[in-house]
Amino acid sequence: MIDHARDLDAVREATDRLLSATGKLDADALTEPSRLPGWSRGHVVAHLCRNADALVNVLQGRPMYADSETRDRDIERGAPRPQAEQLADLAGSADRFEAAASALADWSRTVTLRNGVTDSASRLPFRRRVEVELHHVDLGIGYELEDLSDEFVSREIDFLAERFGGHPDVVSTGLSDDRGRVWTTGGGAGGGPVAVRGTAPELLGWLSGRRDGSALTVENGPLPALPPL
């Protein structure tokens, strides 16, 4: 069962870690490339700011973004800001998300996200946590997938395995980690089943597009190619 209150606490902790880490960077560090192609670290931080405000929109019954072009322009406009302005926005937008989430009464209602995706309101705190944790890794400032809590990694593998489940371009794939946990995904494409084994952080890295899967062991075929998230 989803515990949105616990997830809100975890979002707060993840945001505090991110603010502490980025606050220790050199003044020009946000202008340097992130691990995301074409994005500086400033782009990543600007995206996190606007994502928090977009989730406030969702919580309050408005469209997540006006449109994709506006979303992209806001990130581009925010990326080159001075570090102090970026971090103030990151903290302020996080506070706005927490306030909106704390005021929500009906966590069981269905909400609409970007591109028409729907979900339960109760999952929004975890969705925000995913944004903060994985984009902290994307900054390339010493926080790695191996630093994420095992609880978080397992839950996000659950989510991504479900997301790719039945996908027409992904063969049936069984996942297992070194602790004996198993997942299944894909199945919409012919072939398989392929067996993929590795540590939970490596599995998450592959599923989320943050690692190439070269550290994983694959049997009964090549490592499946996953569609972009």
Side-chain angles (χ1 to χ4, degrees):
M1 180 177 294
I2 297 171
D3 186 341
H4 64 267
R6 183 188 66 180
D7 285 339
L8 281 172
D9 288 339
V11 170
R12 190 179 307 111
E13 293 169 2
T15 302
D16 287 344
R17 280 194 296 274
L18 177 61
L19 285 167
S20 176
T22 50
K24 296 174 183 176
L25 296 175
D26 294 338
D28 295 331
L30 293 184
T31 67
E32 297 170 356
S34 74
R35 292 176 175 174
L36 296 178
W39 270 17
S40 68
R41 289 173 178 148
H43 283 88
V44 175
V45 174
H47 163 65
L48 281 169
C49 296
R50 301 292 69 80
N51 172 263
D53 286 336
L55 289 176
V56 170
N57 288 337
V58 172
L59 287 166
Q60 296 178 348
R62 297 186 296 273
M64 187 169 185
Y65 296 102
D67 51 55
S68 294
E69 292 75 17
T70 300
R71 171 188 176 272
D72 295 344
R73 281 198 303 271
D74 285 345
I75 293 171
E76 289 295 333
R77 183 167 56 246
R81 293 176 298 174
Q83 181 181 23
E85 186 176 344
Q86 286 268 48
L87 299 189
D89 190 10
L90 183 61
S93 59
D95 288 344
R96 291 190 292 274
F97 170 76
E98 183 175 352
S102 298
L104 186 67
D106 183 8
W107 285 99
S108 65
R109 68 184 176 92
T110 298
V111 295
T112 302
L113 302 168
R114 191 181 176 205
N115 298 326
V117 173
T118 59
D119 205 346
S120 168
S122 63
R123 288 178 66 105
L124 292 184
F126 186 71
R127 282 183 175 269
R128 176 59 183 175
R129 183 182 175 192
V130 170
E131 293 286 327
V132 175
E133 293 282 37
L134 293 187
H135 284 316
H136 191 166
V137 173
D138 293 335
L139 289 173
I141 56 176
Y143 192 67
E144 302 295 342
L145 294 174
E146 287 74 14
D147 295 314
L148 300 169
S149 74
D150 185 67
E151 171 264 343
F152 171 84
V153 171
S154 179
R155 284 181 68 186
E156 183 61 358
I157 292 175
D158 288 344
F159 174 79
L160 292 173
E162 180 181 347
R163 178 163 180 169
F164 293 129
H167 195 285
D169 297 329
V170 182
V171 302
S172 178
T173 305
L175 311 173
S176 60
D177 72 0
D178 53 356
R179 297 179 57 180
R181 292 174 293 193
V182 297
W183 299 263
T184 58
T185 193
V194 174
V196 179
R197 299 195 309 273
T199 66
E202 288 290 352
L203 289 170
L204 175 57
W206 172 60
L207 288 167
S208 66
R210 285 165 170 84
R211 293 189 181 170
D212 63 8
S214 58
L216 301 172
T217 300
V218 186
E219 298 177 353
N220 301 327
L223 185 68
L226 299 176
L229 292 171

